[in-house]
Amino acid sequence: EPGPTGLDPGQTAFFQALNIATKINRGAIEIIARVKMCEEGQKVSASAAGLLSKLKMMPFSFGIKVLYVYEGGSCYDAKVLDLSEDDIMKKFVGGLVQASCVALGLSYPCMASIPHLMSNAVRKIVAFSVATSYKLEIAEPFEAFLANPDAFKVAGGPGDSGGGEAKKEEKKEEEEDDDGPGFDTDDDDDE
């Protein structure tokens, strides 16, 4: 950045070696124009590094970029270090779902597939009870619904007949209003 550097005029050689235009103002070196000293991915020269340290500029950061992790004889990608507990739980649940799918496909009972097998069995028992004359206690709500679906309608829900009469009265009133005086609603021309 252009501006005063705070360096004494005896240190102009650093700036001249790097082709940086300067002037001396009030007993200190001042940079005239903006200069780019280093770019990402390029090697910094020793003179540029020396000048930046004299200006107390630290554009560098040093560290290790971890690519792989070696632990217990196994090598992992470094992204494993960024996983949170939620990410691990999501992966575990995903694996559990896959395991239950494989177990269900193979008809192999295991802890992951037992809940699905039991719910499928109950569903088949209820279907059998409804289809035959063999009655089970677990199938009674389903049989009651099939016998009288109107008994299970929710008050005020769509298709409810509770407010139907009031709606019919409103429609009649609207129709009477539309047939007000001065309007001929007949299509035939009686003049």
Side-chain angles (χ1 to χ4, degrees), residues 12-129:
T12 57
F14 281 108
F15 294 99
Q16 290 172 353
L18 294 169
N19 294 327
I20 299 174
T22 60
K23 67 179 181 177
I24 298 176
N25 189 9
R26 297 185 186 174
I29 299 173
E30 185 175 326
I31 298 175
I32 297 172
R34 185 178 187 156
V35 179
K36 194 169 197 175
M37 293 297 296
C38 56
E39 292 183 20
E40 185 178 346
Q42 290 185 352
K43 191 173 182 178
V44 180
S45 66
S47 58
L51 178 61
L52 289 171
S53 67
K54 283 186 181 275
L55 295 173
K56 296 183 174 101
M57 297 177 129
M58 300 303 230
F60 310 106
S61 62
F62 297 95
I64 298 173
K65 185 175 181 182
V66 178
L67 300 177
Y68 297 98
V69 177
Y70 180 78
E71 180 183 22
S74 298
C75 195
Y76 304 102
D77 194 15
K79 293 177 185 175
V80 172
L81 299 174
D82 296 332
L83 292 176
S84 67
E85 284 188 31
D86 292 336
D87 296 332
I88 293 170
M89 283 305 293
K90 285 178 187 174
K91 295 212 179 268
F92 175 74
V93 169
L96 192 60
V97 167
Q98 293 295 323
S100 67
C101 288
V102 169
L104 286 171
L106 296 173
S107 297
Y108 181 78
C110 68
M111 291 301 289
S113 66
I114 292 292
H116 301 287
L117 292 172
M118 294 303 291
S119 66
N120 287 341
V122 168
R123 185 175 42 87
K124 288 178 182 179
I125 289 172
V126 168
F128 175 78
S129 177

Side-chain angles (χ1 to χ4, degrees), residues 15 28 78 102 105 147 152-153 159 176 182:
F15 294 99
V102 169
F152 291 90
K153 285 188 178 177
E176 290 173 5

